[in-house]
Amino acid sequence: MGKGQETRERLLDIAELSVLAKGFGATSIEEIIAEAQITKSGFFYHFRDKNELARALLQRYLDREDGLLDELFDRARELHDDPLHAFLIGLKLLAEKMADLPNGHPGCMVAAYCYNERLFDPSVRSLNRTAVLGWRERFVAMLEEIAAVYPPRDDVDLQSVADMVSSSVDGGIILSKALGEPAVLSKQILLYRSYIKLLFSPTVD
Amino acid sequence: MGKGQETRERLLDIAELSVLAKGFGATSIEEIIAEAQITKSGFFYHFRDKNELARALLQRYLDREDGLLDELFDRARELHDDPLHAFLIGLKLLAEKMADLPNGHPGCMVAAYCYNERLFDPSVRSLNRTAVLGWRERFVAMLEEIAAVYPPRDDVDLQSVADMVSSSVDGGIILSKALGEPAVLSKQILLYRSYIKLLFSPTVD
DNA sequence: AACCAACCTGACCTCGAGTACAGTAAATTC
DNA sequence: GAATTTACTGTACTCGAGGTCAGGTTGGTT
């Protein structure tokens, strides 16, 4: 990574934490460059304007998130052939990952952007939408594979069950933040796992 | 309601929508007073500073939310004596209420404040925390009553199952907003309901 | 040695934000 | 009907925000 890329990443790191803690509108370029020890002109060399910072921030977050999900659920599939058990293992790995964050989850960019939507141009909003649709697709594929083997014990829409992964994570993050109890997030993921277990297991216990 | 209270409520209405759409930091007093057709000094007559607006906004939101939950779950209890079925009915009523919002849910103040936490003084943050704890308490009480009659079919922590109500709502709101699909929220609540059904029902069908 | 692109710095501009404070018209109280 | 309170308006101030532009330094290419 060249010197320019390094600076850019540093700017994004600083911006990311600030955006998750104060929102995009309250995150000033002034404060980012102060922490990054760079001048304002230096900042604008890397990003044309604040909206380009927003786009880059979201894109980087989504790439990382996709990478993490690939890693965890691929690993889960390695550990178990059965689609249901692989999914349950993947959820456990995810819960553990979330529990291992030292200061709790810093926040979900997608959620932060939802509560700042009016600030962004359509391209950023569409990026956000596409990301959530991607997660839906990812988990719907797993769930269909599961449902083909284990008929669900309740009449549910698999697409919504797929959405529930994102919902549990985003909801869990909010509760963790509001309560100041980082553990809440992983507990919510494990409850989703419990639902999947009950929904698809032929016998329970 | 006197003239002053009326103005105050109008200011809060305008601020609420803006905060949920752009975040608190990006919501300017200037824009609020422009829409409310009042001067800046008029605004500061009602609120000492921006932080007092924040507190009033959250307080009003929480009062309304508590009122709504009281209404729905009291009504549910009227409709069915059994604690499990009453809870399931309450969740259905909640899902319907959420589905009936014409333009989708405008957003949860608690969630918005979580992603703006650094902007507020400790009293506001503590108000936010207390609210979530209140919801936890409310639903834990219902779940304990249920669990006393119907032993849960999975080894779960009832406090987390209680938190899952808030988590489903907040997660559902975020997905709805990100996707531009208002229906997602009520579907997530109904999935939580499905989980409760599977978790406590002696027989499934 | 000359050049050039990448990576910045410094000085400057404009605008709107939050805030202060003095004044005032209308309603309410005494 | 005088005094007080409520509910504002008008004016003025400061500061930090996002953004521009012209210039400078550095390390590698020709």
Side-chain angles (χ1 to χ4, degrees):
Chain A
M1 185 157 58
K3 192 174 170 230
Q5 269 302 310
E6 230 171 81
T7 305
R8 194 184 142 96
E9 289 295 312
R10 202 167 77 249
L11 291 170
L12 288 172
D13 286 341
I14 295 166
E16 180 160 317
L17 285 178
S18 179
V19 167
L20 292 175
K22 317 198 304 176
F24 186 75
T27 296
S28 73
I29 293 171
E30 209 96 21
E31 120 193 57
I32 296 170
I33 64 173
E35 200 177 330
Q37 309 250 62
I38 202 182
T39 59
K40 205 178 271 197
S41 328
F43 175 90
F44 282 104
Y45 170 75
H46 291 286
F47 307 98
R48 177 167 330 157
D49 54 22
K50 222 188 159 191
N51 230 297
E52 201 182 296
L53 171 70
R55 188 166 21 252
L57 215 49
L58 183 57
Q59 188 64 66
R60 194 181 69 150
Y61 177 83
L62 296 177
D63 290 346
R64 283 182 181 173
E65 212 62 16
D66 270 339
L68 177 69
L69 291 177
D70 283 347
E71 181 200 318
L72 295 182
F73 285 91
D74 286 359
R75 175 81 183 122
R77 205 59 205 251
E78 279 170 31
L79 291 171
H80 209 301
D81 250 357
D82 180 80
L84 173 57
H85 287 96
F87 190 47
L88 292 175
I89 292 169
L91 289 173
K92 192 108 178 204
L93 293 175
L94 181 59
E96 282 172 7
K97 202 88 179 176
M98 296 299 105
D100 281 350
L101 298 169
N103 304 313
H105 199 292
C108 171
M109 246 338 143
V110 169
Y113 276 41
C114 281
Y115 282 101
N116 286 252
E117 52 168 347
R118 281 280 124 76
L119 299 177
F120 304 121
D121 58 34
S123 78
V124 174
R125 277 187 256 183
S126 138
L127 184 58
N128 215 26
R129 181 164 179 277
T130 309
V132 180
L133 286 175
W135 296 337
R136 171 184 279 180
E137 215 177 312
R138 170 195 291 267
F139 293 116
V140 148
M142 296 186 197
L143 289 168
E144 273 170 355
E145 220 187 322
I146 294 170
V149 186
Y150 305 93
R153 298 164 72 87
D154 194 6
D155 178 32
V156 292
D157 167 24
L158 289 186
Q159 188 170 279
S160 294
V161 179
D163 284 346
M164 204 179 181
V165 180
S166 317
S167 172
S168 299
V169 172
D170 275 323
I173 289 174
I174 287 170
L175 295 191
S176 294
K177 276 177 159 261
L179 293 170
E181 298 177 17
V184 168
L185 168 56
S186 67
K187 284 184 191 163
Q188 288 303 310
I189 296 171
L190 289 177
L191 278 188
Y192 174 71
R193 185 176 174 277
S194 161
Y195 177 45
I196 295 297
K197 224 168 60 184
L198 289 176
L199 186 59
F200 292 108
S201 284
T203 62
V204 179
D205 65 326
Chain B
M1 186 157 60
K3 193 175 172 228
Q5 270 302 311
E6 229 171 82
T7 307
R8 194 185 143 97
E9 290 295 312
R10 201 167 78 248
L11 291 170
L12 287 171
D13 286 341
I14 295 166
E16 178 160 319
L17 285 178
S18 180
V19 167
L20 292 174
K22 319 197 303 181
F24 186 76
T27 296
S28 73
I29 293 171
E30 207 95 22
E31 115 191 62
I32 295 170
I33 63 172
E35 202 178 327
Q37 309 251 64
I38 200 181
T39 61
K40 209 179 271 197
S41 329
F43 174 90
F44 283 102
Y45 171 76
H46 290 284
F47 307 97
R48 177 172 335 178
D49 54 23
K50 220 188 162 191
N51 230 296
E52 202 181 295
L53 171 71
R55 188 168 19 254
L57 215 49
L58 183 57
Q59 189 63 66
R60 192 180 71 150
Y61 178 82
L62 296 177
D63 290 346
R64 283 182 181 172
E65 212 62 16
D66 270 339
L68 177 67
L69 291 176
D70 282 348
E71 180 199 319
L72 294 182
F73 285 91
D74 287 357
R75 174 84 184 117
R77 204 61 204 250
E78 281 171 28
L79 291 171
H80 208 302
D81 249 355
D82 180 81
L84 174 57
H85 287 96
F87 191 47
L88 292 174
I89 290 169
L91 289 173
K92 192 107 178 200
L93 292 176
L94 180 60
E96 281 171 7
K97 202 86 179 179
M98 296 297 107
D100 281 349
L101 298 168
N103 303 312
H105 198 293
C108 169
M109 250 329 148
V110 169
Y113 275 41
C114 280
Y115 282 101
N116 286 250
E117 49 167 349
R118 281 282 124 76
L119 299 178
F120 304 121
D121 58 35
S123 77
V124 174
R125 276 188 257 181
S126 138
L127 185 58
N128 214 26
R129 180 162 179 279
T130 309
V132 180
L133 286 176
W135 295 338
R136 172 185 279 180
E137 216 177 310
R138 169 194 291 268
F139 293 116
V140 150
M142 297 187 196
L143 289 168
E144 272 170 356
E145 219 186 325
I146 294 171
V149 186
Y150 305 93
R153 300 165 70 87
D154 195 6
D155 178 31
V156 292
D157 167 24
L158 288 187
Q159 188 171 278
S160 294
V161 179
D163 284 345
M164 204 178 182
V165 180
S166 317
S167 172
S168 298
V169 172
D170 275 323
I173 289 174
I174 287 170
L175 295 191
S176 294
K177 275 177 157 260
L179 292 169
E181 296 176 18
V184 168
L185 168 56
S186 68
K187 284 186 189 162
Q188 289 301 311
I189 296 171
L190 290 176
L191 279 187
Y192 174 72
R193 185 177 176 277
S194 160
Y195 178 44
I196 295 297
K197 222 168 60 182
L198 289 176
L199 186 59
F200 292 106
S201 281
T203 61
V204 178
D205 59 326

